[in-house]
Amino acid sequence: MIFAEKDHPAEYWDFHEELKDFLCSHFSRVESGMQTDSWFWIFDGGEKVAIDTFSSMKHQVKSARAGSHVEHVIGVLRLKCPVRIYPKPELEGHEEA
C-alpha cells in the first residue's frame, strides 16, 4: 500500500544520494539502489517500509500494512522535505484489492 509521497522539486535521480545519506543517519538498517528507479528499504522494528519511484516520478512511502513503522518513517522523511500523506492508503498496481 502507498501511504505518502515526497513533495520535493528535485528529480528523484538527483536526490537519491542525498536521501540515502539522510535515511542512513536516522535508521540503523537501510538498503537502497538506483537503476532506472530509486528505491530504499528501511527495516524498523521487524517491519519493512519502502520508499521508491516504481509507480511514480516522486518517492512514495509503501508498506504491506499500516502501523507505527510507517508513521515513524514518514515522520523522519518530513524532517528532510515536504511529504503529502494520502488520506487513505492506495493500492499499488500489482497488489490485490
Side-chain angles (χ1 to χ4, degrees), residues 2 11 23 53 75 79:
I2 306 170
E11 299 293 344
L23 292 172
T53 60
L79 298 172

Side-chain angles (χ1 to χ4, degrees), residues 2-6 71 74-75 78 82-88:
I2 306 170
F3 293 90
E5 184 171 275
K6 178 186 74 61
E71 294 170 15
I74 290 172
R78 289 180 116 175
V83 176
R84 182 173 62 94
I85 298 172
Y86 295 174
K88 180 180 174 188

Side-chain angles (χ1 to χ4, degrees):
M1 292 187 295
I2 306 170
F3 293 90
E5 184 171 275
K6 178 186 74 61
D7 189 18
H8 191 274
E11 299 293 344
Y12 70 82
W13 52 84
D14 292 332
F15 191 65
H16 178 86
E17 287 301 317
E18 184 179 340
L19 184 56
K20 178 182 173 183
D21 292 343
F22 176 77
L23 292 172
C24 287
S25 73
H26 285 83
F27 296 98
S28 59
R29 185 168 171 214
V30 177
E31 296 178 15
S32 67
M34 178 73 179
Q35 290 178 315
T36 47
D37 286 294
S38 168
W39 63 270
F40 301 90
W41 290 349
I42 300 162
F43 298 89
D44 185 42
E47 299 285 348
K48 180 175 94 174
V49 177
I51 300 175
D52 65 43
T53 60
F54 295 157
S55 54
S56 175
M57 292 301 285
K58 294 187 178 193
H59 286 97
Q60 294 178 317
V61 179
K62 304 171 183 177
S63 183
R65 64 177 192 83
S68 61
H69 61 293
V70 175
E71 294 170 15
H72 183 214
V73 170
I74 290 172
V76 168
L77 192 56
R78 289 180 116 175
L79 298 172
K80 180 71 175 164
C81 59
V83 176
R84 182 173 62 94
I85 298 172
Y86 295 174
K88 180 180 174 188
E90 295 181 6
L91 293 179
E92 205 169 356
H94 63 274
E95 293 176 321
E96 298 282 328

